[in-house]
Amino acid sequence: MLNIDGIDLRSRFFIGTALYDSPELMERSIEASEAQVVTLSLRRATAQSKQYALQHWLQNKRESLHLLPNTAGCHSAKEAINMAILSRELLKTHWIKLEVIGNDYNLQPDPFQLVDAAKELTEQGFKVFPYCTDDLVLCERLIDVGCDILMPWGAPIGTGQGLMNPYALKQIRKHFHKIPLVIDAGIGRPSHAAQAMEMGYDAVLLNSAVAKSMDPITMAKAFKHSIEAGRLAYEAGCMEQQETAHASTPDIAKPFWHSEPL
């Protein structure tokens, strides 16, 4: 069970709502994922609510789903803060996935604006889920200003590259062993999600890998199972890699099998 902000979550799969071919497909994919945290762009919700009432559908699922509005598309702390305040008023949640983009080429977060926005929003009572890079110092600064959850990227948004820098991600997990950590962005395959969970990450957030697949409903199920498998493997303790071969059956006390009964 994952506890976020006093809420116990059975699922460690956080899923997005963009890029689906239809609202019906989005709804069925989310249901198939069994995710309990759903991200939502406020700009998208308000612009398209008349077409298929995305916001209304999500609100009707409030008993089983927790909304995580995001500040996607914001390029400054001021813009992100204003978007967060508006989302709290409209969606009735103090949770916010904080995105402050510094580079439009790879959608990398602006670390300076991100920290400034996180500081202001935590002071205003928000539960800030900061989307950041796999930079240990940046993660420390975000915690210093009041964040108690981190969302480092696996790779740039929408690339599907998986975990580009496993070493950096492992160091973040090791250093912040008491902080909930969610891999956000760059996950393209269920195996990528399983790898993140095997490292000890607490959850995975993704959107494109499901929504842009040929069969989003089936892919949502695949990610559900891979995330569960990765978590179980972490809890069980994965076998350490070794440089040399080791026989699974030792020579000493080796059993003998007889072709005939003695």
Side-chain angles (χ1 to χ4, degrees), residues 6 9 12 26-27 51 59 70 80 82 104-105 132 134 147 160 163 166-167 183 211 217 244 258:
L9 301 172
R12 295 172 182 270
M26 177 205 70
E27 294 170 13
Q51 296 181 33
Q59 291 286 7
N70 64 51
N82 290 338
D104 286 328
Y105 177 72
C132 59
D134 51 15
C147 296
L163 308 185
Y167 173 79
I183 290 293
I217 296 170
T244 58
H258 297 271

Side-chain angles (χ1 to χ4, degrees), residues 20-95:
Y20 291 92
D21 289 338
S22 71
E24 293 78 18
L25 187 58
M26 177 205 70
E27 294 170 13
R28 292 179 62 193
S29 298
I30 292 174
E31 290 171 352
S33 74
E34 297 187 17
Q36 293 175 276
V37 176
V38 177
T39 61
L40 170 67
S41 169
L42 188 62
R43 285 193 175 111
R44 180 168 171 267
T46 54
Q48 300 185 18
S49 58
K50 292 183 180 180
Q51 296 181 33
Y52 56 84
L54 169 61
Q55 180 180 334
H56 179 69
W57 180 80
L58 291 170
Q59 291 286 7
N60 287 338
K61 296 282 186 177
R62 289 306 285 266
E63 290 187 3
S64 58
L65 297 179
H66 301 278
L67 297 185
L68 179 57
N70 64 51
T71 60
C74 293
H75 289 76
S76 70
K78 181 179 180 180
E79 187 180 8
I81 291 166
N82 290 338
M83 182 69 71
I85 293 172
L86 182 59
S87 73
R88 180 165 62 180
E89 293 176 357
L90 291 178
L91 301 176
K92 309 303 180 186
T93 178
H94 65 287
W95 286 12

Side-chain angles (χ1 to χ4, degrees), residues 122-139:
T122 54
E123 290 175 353
Q124 291 195 32
F126 282 88
K127 180 72 171 182
V128 177
F129 295 64
Y131 163 61
C132 59
T133 57
D134 51 15
D135 185 298
L136 187 64
V137 176
L138 173 57
C139 290

